C-alpha cells in the first residue's frame, strides 16, 4: 500500500515553485533568519489581506527551513509527509473492515495533485499528519493527544477537523474529547494572542455557496478535468445535483455505523471550513478537499469489506489514479504550464486566462500575454485588471497602435492612474502626441505626477509634459 502511494506521489518531486510559491517561500520564508522565524510564532503570515487570518507557525517554520533548499526539497518533503499520512490513516482505521482501502483512497486520489504539486500546500499535508497523530496519541492519553491537536491547528486550521470527527467516530479512544477540547482551546488562545483575524470578504457572494460546496463534494467522485483555477463563475451545472445525491447516499450508507458517520462528517466539514476563502476568491481549490479524502477513506473502510469483487474495482481505480498523477505532475513545473493547462481545462474561465496571461508576461511572452488577457475580457465576469494588463502588455510588446485602439474603444471614466499612464505611453509610441498630452494632464499633481513609478521620468523624457 505504501509503495502504491509513493508511486502516485513520486512524479511531483521535480516540480518548481509556482503561483504563490515565489512570494511566500522563495522571496520570504526561505530568507528568514532566526528572529524572523521566531516572528512566525507571534504574528500571522501577513499583516493585512488574506494572510492576516493565517496563523500557521508550525507549517511556516518547516517551509522556512526546507524552502531555503529549493523547490525539489519542499516537494520531496511533501511526498514523505503524504506517504506517512497514508500509513497513519491505515493505523487509525485498523479496527475497520478494510484499513488498507482507507490509506489507498487517500493516497492515490487524483484530487491530491494540488497538495503534492504546489509547494505552498505543504501545510495541508502537515495538518493531516498531526491530526491523525492526535487520534492515535489520544488512545494512550489525553495530554499527548492535546499536544498533537495543537500542532495540527497551528499547521493549518483544517487539521482540527480530523481528531474532532474521527474522535466522534470512536477511533481515538474514550478520552478524545478532553484531548481535542484542550488542544483546540490552546490554538484559539494562540491565534488571539498573535492577532490573527478573519479577513475573507465573502458575505456578498453567499449565493455562490451551493456551487462551491457542490463542486467540492462532487469532485470526490469526478475530479476531472484537474484544474488549479476552478472558478465559481464557470461552475458545471451537474455538480449540485451530483453532490446532493452523494450526500444522500452517504447518509443512508452511514446508518448504523459510527465510524462511517464520522468519516462522512469530515467529508462535509472540510469544504464548509474553506467556504469563506472560496467565496472570497471565487476559486474552488482542489487542496481544500485533501482533508476530506481522509474522511472518504474512513467511510469506505468502515463500509466495504475486502473481497474479490471489491478488489476488482479498487485495483483498476488505483492504477488509473496513479497514471493520472504521472500525467498531471508536469503541469506543476512552471506557471506557464500550470495555467496553460487551466485554460485548456476551462476555456470559458476569465480567471484561468487572467492567470495564464500573468504567467506569460512574467516569462517575457508579452504578445501571447496580451492575447490571453484579451481572451479573459471576452469571458463572463472578466477580471477587473485585464483591460489594463492587456494595454500594458501590448505597449511592452511593441504594439502601440493596437494598444491605442484598445484604450480608445474602452471606458472613459473611472480609470485608474496606471491605466491612463499606459494609455499615454501608447499614444506617444503611436505618434499621437496631442492625445498623449491630454492624458498626461490628467495625471498632473501639484508636485510631480500620479501613476506608476516609471511615469514621471518617462513623461519628462518625452518633452511633452511641459514640466522641467
Amino acid at each position: 500500500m505504501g509503495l502504491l502511494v509513493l508511486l502516485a506521489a513520486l512524479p511531483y518531486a521535480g516540480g518548481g515553485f509556482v503561483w504563490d510559491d515565489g512570494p511566500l517561500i522563495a522571496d520570504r520564508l526561505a530568507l528568514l533568519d532566526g528572529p524572523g522565524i521566531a516572528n512566525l510564532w507571534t504574528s500571522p503570515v501577513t499583516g493585512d489581506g488574506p494572510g492576516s487570518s493565517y496563523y500557521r507557525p508550525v507549517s511556516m517554520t518547516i517551509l522556512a527551513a526546507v524552502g531555503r533548499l529549493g523547490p525539489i526539497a519542499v516537494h520531496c518533503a511533501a511526498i514523505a509527509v503524504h506517504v506517512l499520512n497514508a500509513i497513519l490513516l491505515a493505523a487509525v482505521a485498523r479496527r475497520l473492515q478494510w484499513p488498507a482501502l482507507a490509506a489507498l483512497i487517500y493516497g492515490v486520489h487524483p484530487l491530491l495533485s494540488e497538495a503534492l504539486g504546489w509547494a505552498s500546500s505543504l501545510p495541508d499535508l502537515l495538518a493531516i499528519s498531526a491530526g491523525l497523530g492526535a487520534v492515535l496519541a489520544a488512545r494512550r492519553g489525553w495530554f499527548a493527544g492535546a499536544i498533537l491537536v495543537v500542532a495540527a491547528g497551528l499547521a493549518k486550521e483544517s487539521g482540527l477537523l480530523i481528531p474532532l470527527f474521527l474522535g466522534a467516530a470512536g477511533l481515538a479512544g474514550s478520552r478524545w474529547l478532553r484531548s481535542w477540547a484542550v488542544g483546540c482551546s490552546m490554538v484559539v488562545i494562540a491565534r488571539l494572542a498573535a492577532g490573527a483575524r478573519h479577513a475573507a470578504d465573502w458575505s456578498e457572494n453567499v449565493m455562490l455557496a451551493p456551487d462551491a460546496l457542490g463542486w467540492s463534494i462532487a469532485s470526490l467522485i469526478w475530479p476531472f478535468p484537474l484544474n488549479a483555477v476552478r472558478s465559481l463563475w464557470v461552475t458545471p451545472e451537474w455538480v449540485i445535483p451530483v453532490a446532493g445525491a452523494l450526500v444522500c447516499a452517504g447518509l443512508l450508507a452511514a446508518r448504523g455505523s459510527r465510524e462511517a458517520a464520522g468519516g462522512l462528517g469530515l467529508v462535509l466539514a472540510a469544504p464548509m471550513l474553506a467556504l469563506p476563502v472560496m467565496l472570497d476568491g471565487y476559486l474552488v481549490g482542489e487542496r481544500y478537499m485533501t482533508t476530506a479524502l481522509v474522511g472518504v477513506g474512513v467511510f469506505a473502510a468502515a463500509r466495504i469489506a475486502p473481497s474479490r469483487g471489491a478488489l476488482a474495482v479498487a485495483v483498476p481505480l488505483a492504477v488509473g489514479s496513479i497514471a493520472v498523477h504521472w500525467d498531471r505532475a508536469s503541469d506543476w513545473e512552471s506557471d506557464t504550464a500550470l495555467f496553460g493547462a487551466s485554460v485548456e481545462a476551462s476555456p470559458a474561465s476569465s480567471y484561468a486566462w487572467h492567470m495564464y496571461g500573468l504567467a506569460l508576461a512574467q516569462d517575457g511572452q508579452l504578445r501571447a500575454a496580451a492575447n490571453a488577457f484579451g481572451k479573459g475580457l471576452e469571458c463572463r465576469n472578466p477580471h477587473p485588471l485585464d483591460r489594463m494588463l492587456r494595454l500594458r502588455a501590448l505597449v511592452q510588446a511593441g504594439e502601440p497602435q493596437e494598444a491605442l485602439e484598445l484604450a480608445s474603444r474602452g471606458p472613459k471614466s473611472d480609470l485608474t492612474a496606471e491605466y491612463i499612464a499606459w494609455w499615454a505611453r501608447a499614444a506617444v509610441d503611436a505618434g499621437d502626441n496631442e492625445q498623449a498630452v491630454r492624458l498626461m494632464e490628467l495625471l498632473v499633481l501639484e508636485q510631480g505626477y500620479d501613476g506608476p513609478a516609471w511615469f514621471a521620468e518617462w513623461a519628462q523624457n518625452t518633452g511633452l509634459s511641459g514640466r522641467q
Side-chain angles (χ1 to χ4, degrees):
M1 178 270 298
L3 290 176
L4 290 176
V5 175
L6 177 61
L7 186 60
L10 200 57
Y12 296 95
F17 279 156
V18 298
W19 208 341
D20 291 340
D21 291 342
L24 175 64
I25 302 174
D27 299 336
R28 185 180 175 214
L29 295 177
L31 303 179
L32 293 178
D33 54 11
I37 292 177
N39 287 337
L40 297 174
W41 292 81
T42 59
S43 60
V45 175
T46 63
D48 52 23
S52 62
S53 64
Y54 299 160
Y55 177 64
R56 300 166 180 171
V58 169
S59 53
M60 292 300 106
T61 299
I62 293 173
L63 272 176
V66 181
R68 64 189 67 227
L69 301 177
I72 292 179
V74 179
H75 289 300
C76 288
I79 291 170
V81 173
H82 178 58
V83 174
L84 173 63
N85 290 348
I87 295 171
L88 291 174
L89 181 54
V92 167
R94 73 176 184 271
R95 301 171 188 169
L96 304 181
Q97 295 191 75
W98 198 354
L101 181 62
L104 193 62
I105 289 175
Y106 162 79
V108 305
H109 196 286
L111 275 184
L112 262 297
S113 176
E114 186 165 291
L116 291 168
W118 192 17
S120 294
S121 284
L122 182 60
D124 294 87
L125 300 175
L126 291 169
I128 291 173
S129 290
L132 291 172
V135 173
L136 293 172
R139 295 175 179 176
R140 297 177 176 272
W142 73 266
F143 182 76
I147 295 299
L148 284 169
V149 168
V150 173
L154 297 185
K156 189 172 181 178
E157 299 78 13
S158 57
L160 295 174
L161 298 177
I162 294 174
L164 172 62
F165 284 94
L166 299 194
L171 298 174
S174 59
R175 290 169 288 186
W176 74 270
L177 185 57
R178 182 180 183 185
S179 173
W180 185 83
V182 171
C184 193
S185 299
M186 293 176 68
V187 170
V188 171
I189 292 171
R191 287 179 58 83
L192 292 175
R197 59 188 185 278
H198 186 70
D201 184 14
W202 58 275
S203 56
E204 294 182 358
N205 304 323
V206 69
M207 296 301 293
L208 293 172
D211 297 86
L213 295 174
W215 204 352
S216 298
I217 294 170
S219 295
L220 293 171
I221 64 163
W222 190 255
F224 308 108
L226 294 174
N227 183 2
V229 190
R230 296 196 296 171
S231 170
L232 282 169
W233 296 121
V234 291
T235 304
E237 294 181 359
W238 58 268
V239 298
I240 293 179
V242 168
L246 274 176
V247 172
C248 291
L251 290 172
L252 289 173
R255 288 186 306 172
S257 172
R258 182 181 176 186
E259 297 87 354
L264 181 61
L266 182 55
V267 169
L268 300 178
M272 292 182 68
L273 181 65
L275 185 60
V277 180
M278 289 192 283
L279 296 181
D280 185 43
Y282 300 101
L283 296 180
V284 183
E286 296 170 1
R287 67 192 177 281
Y288 298 139
M289 294 304 285
T290 306
T291 303
L293 289 173
V294 174
V296 175
V298 170
F299 179 91
R303 276 313 193 195
I304 301 175
S307 65
R308 289 184 178 181
L311 283 170
V313 174
V315 171
L317 286 177
V319 172
S321 296
I322 292 171
V324 168
H325 285 293
W326 279 82
D327 179 65
R328 173 66 171 163
S330 60
D331 292 340
W332 291 95
E333 293 178 357
S334 68
D335 282 336
T336 52
L338 179 62
F339 299 120
S342 292
V343 298
E344 289 181 12
S346 187
S349 170
S350 60
Y351 270 57
W353 285 109
H354 171 75
M355 297 304 299
Y356 189 40
L358 292 177
L360 290 168
Q362 186 177 20
D363 198 42
Q365 302 181 55
L366 297 170
R367 176 70 254 191
N371 292 341
F373 294 130
K375 289 283 189 180
L377 289 171
E378 295 172 2
C379 296
R380 180 179 152 212
N381 302 109
H383 194 282
L385 293 179
D386 274 356
R387 183 170 292 275
M388 186 279 294
L389 291 171
R390 176 168 167 78
L391 176 64
R392 183 179 71 180
L394 286 170
V395 173
Q396 293 177 328
E399 303 285 352
Q401 191 61 48
E402 187 176 349
L404 192 57
E405 292 174 1
L406 171 70
S408 299
R409 293 193 307 267
K412 304 299 187 295
S413 60
D414 298 322
L415 301 177
T416 65
E418 185 171 10
Y419 186 94
I420 296 171
W422 285 107
W423 189 354
R425 184 163 168 175
V428 169
D429 292 352
D432 191 344
N433 291 341
E434 183 178 346
Q435 183 173 195
V437 170
R438 290 199 303 268
L439 292 166
M440 288 181 187
E441 288 174 350
L442 297 176
L443 299 180
V444 173
L445 300 175
E446 185 174 341
Q447 297 291 332
Y449 292 91
D450 196 2
W454 57 266
F455 182 76
E457 182 178 356
W458 173 85
Q460 294 288 349
N461 291 338
T462 63
L464 301 173
S465 66
R467 286 177 177 256
Q468 302 297 323

